[in-house]
Amino acid sequence: MNILALLQERFRQALNPLVADPQPYVEMVRTAQDPRFGDFQANCAMPLVKLFDGKSARDIAALIVSHLDVSDMCDPPEIAGPGFINLRLKDDWVLKQVNVLISDERMGVPRVKTPKHVVVDYSAPNVAKPMHVGHLRSSVIGDSLYRILKFCGHRVTGDNHIGDWGTQFGMIIYGYKHFRDEHAYALDPVGELARLYRLVNQLSDYHELTVKIPQLEQGIDEQLKKIHDTERQISQAPPADKSDKTGIAAEKEIQKSLQKLRTELSDQRKELTASEEKRDKVQNDPVLLAIAKKHPDIAVLSREETAKLHAGNDENKKLWEQFLPRCLEALQQVYDRLGIEFDLTLGESFYQPLLGDVVTDLVKSRIARESEGAICAFIEGNDAPFIIRKGDGAFTYATTDLATIRYRVEVLRSDVILYVVDARQSEHFKLLFETARTWGFKQVDFRHVSFGTILGEDRRPYKTRSGDTIGLESLIDESIARARKIVDDNDNSRERPELDDPTRATVADAVGIGGIKYADLKHNRDSDYVFNWEKMLAMTGDTATYIQYANARIGGILRKGNCDRLSLRKSGATIQFTESTERELVMQILRLASAVDDVLIDYRPHLLANYLFETADKFTRFYNDCPVLSDKIEESVRASRLLLCDLTGRVLELGLHLLGIQPCEKM
Ligand code: ARG
């Protein structure tokens, strides 16, 4: 049961006769930050002052309380300070709720009353290039939303909308035709395809850079001139009088523009250096340089290979059919390691036969029309046109997404579609959703579940030192290796180590992969976050390791007490409290339902991650305060505390499972 929601409902009933729209005030009932003020606090009396002429906030609080019926669950409400309403749940009511959980597999999380069919579009890498760290967030956030929605009783379809029809295939086809190493391809096809992709990319970039670098140099010269001119202007102008306000403002203005010019210059220089480095990698390598010279038009020719593939060219289609399953196998290996599954993997190629119809239909419905040779959807209020067919006849990312929507609604019959995609695509999704609604898909709830970037310590997108993207496989390998060291050190520091080698390996897997996932999930998805190995895997602090460890410790306590968990639950023993830390832990356990509900309001898994961290923390405090296995405590207290350990462990395991993180029995 979501207790907060229940209380809010009671407030709604109390507020209904008092205000026209109680909703915003109902939302001001929250969990109290400080247990001294009770369990919940309502702050709605203060903002209501403006609606009640002449009444003080305390008067209004009293009025609300007089309408409020919570006597079954709370002690009499208290009005504090300027008009806060403090609520404390009755101990016997709390105990009744928590004792119900002993036999509740769902740990108090109800199933939704009106299940929806939700399509979750997540991961969606462009295949044929190895997966990199940028693919992590969508996969991890999407997977946890998938699990949570399903657990709450929705019908969920996880769809991996892979990019399997894009320009990267033209590059690989070109590479395969000209540069393939038969032997390497036979041994490791995906490795060889990745090499070909990188090679073609590098050569195309090289030719582009030989044109771009002189332009950059010229840009820098011009910038220097501008800076020089501005400096001269400053030095030649007579200093403004202190009383001359416009003069002073003008001086400031010109200093500011000088500063801006200098920052731009520094960016230009950085870009030039990076470009030169890239170019020199080819320039200084006689073999690469010779290849580059032999393929001056590689970029154009690769694009032509893509166009030929799209036009149905036999040879290219065959190559694509040969490459794709290999690429999918490689992807699958990563998903297997991460423990991420999909119900469907309908890539962009799946929708290709449907695209012509989409365009015809949109033109017929007068949503799209020709503009400068292309066909674009024009949506009222949007300046940017949404291009659905380019001048050369090619369909776009947008066309595919529109066809995908039609399929997901008309064939899959979905009510909600979540797109777990990088925030940088928000403009695309805004236009997509508006076009789809105008097209007739009004009843569908479209959501761009966007997220920020993973940054390195330098606060720039996380890259290797040489500026390459970080491969996901090697990231996972490294995380598991680091986790192994932590597990080894921890176990070796014990008087008598407890874990054998295979157990250590399993734990390192769970900690390594759990650590990567949790570091991502604990942040509000909108924010960028800095990737930091030490912080991510630490045994203490806000990490998966800490939560996994709390759970393993609970298992250890119960084992040490020779307690069979199933029998304990069926023994008829109940939870009671003697210490405040016990009550706090119980209250925390009872908050799981509300944490899960909160995630689904705006699809933010960090609210569950944060909840689990707090739960592990409250458990630690309880355990420091309350002996569980001591023979100095009464039998009923011991049983109660063992039950509390068991419940906490179950909450942690369920919560970790909903985030896609493996618990460990021992650590
Ligand atoms: N493949 C795309 C990319 O890597 C993401 C696709 C997201 N899903 C969608 N329906 N557009 O940018």
Side-chain angles (χ1 to χ4, degrees), residues 280-457:
D280 292 346
K281 263 195 203 148
V282 177
Q283 197 102 286
N284 299 336
D285 181 328
V287 181
L288 268 180
L289 187 62
I291 303 178
K293 293 240 160 90
K294 260 177 82 181
H295 298 263
D297 300 318
I298 190 164
V300 180
L301 294 175
S302 303
R303 277 201 290 278
E304 277 175 16
E305 296 293 2
T306 309
K308 267 163 49 189
L309 170 69
H310 289 178
N313 170 281
D314 244 5
E315 188 188 7
N316 283 10
K317 193 81 199 281
K318 280 218 179 79
L319 286 174
W320 179 82
E321 279 162 2
Q322 176 189 326
F323 297 155
L324 188 63
R326 306 250 147 100
C327 301
L328 293 181
E329 273 164 36
L331 279 184
Q332 193 54 45
Q333 279 175 19
V334 180
Y335 293 133
D336 286 346
R337 295 184 77 187
L338 290 173
I340 292 179
E341 288 175 16
F342 303 91
D343 301 296
L344 297 173
T345 298
L346 299 181
E348 293 179 358
S349 66
F350 174 81
Y351 299 97
Q352 294 316 302
L354 311 174
L355 301 187
D357 270 1
V358 169
V359 175
T360 318
D361 208 62
L362 284 166
V363 171
K364 236 199 264 161
S365 341
R366 294 172 187 275
I367 297 166
R369 62 184 145 80
E370 211 202 293
S371 163
E372 294 171 34
I375 295 184
C376 308
F378 289 90
I379 302 298
E380 222 179 302
N382 274 330
D383 320 328
F386 201 38
I387 303 175
I388 55 173
R389 184 164 206 156
K390 290 195 250 176
D392 62 6
F395 300 113
T396 65
Y397 186 49
T399 332
T400 312
D401 259 332
L402 285 164
T404 308
I405 287 181
R406 185 186 244 180
Y407 182 83
R408 286 175 178 166
V409 179
E410 290 178 356
V411 181
L412 301 180
R413 306 237 150 250
S414 59
D415 310 301
V416 182
I417 308 180
L418 306 183
Y419 295 84
V420 188
V421 185
D422 195 303
R424 282 167 283 200
Q425 295 195 29
S426 61
E427 194 54 28
H428 167 74
F429 285 108
K430 190 171 152 257
L431 292 174
L432 176 67
F433 300 163
E434 280 173 14
T435 309
R437 282 189 206 109
T438 318
W439 197 17
F441 299 103
K442 287 198 180 63
Q443 73 288 15
V444 186
D445 183 5
F446 299 108
R447 293 287 179 102
H448 178 198
V449 179
S450 68
F451 52 79
T453 309
I454 305 181
L455 306 174
E457 295 292 347

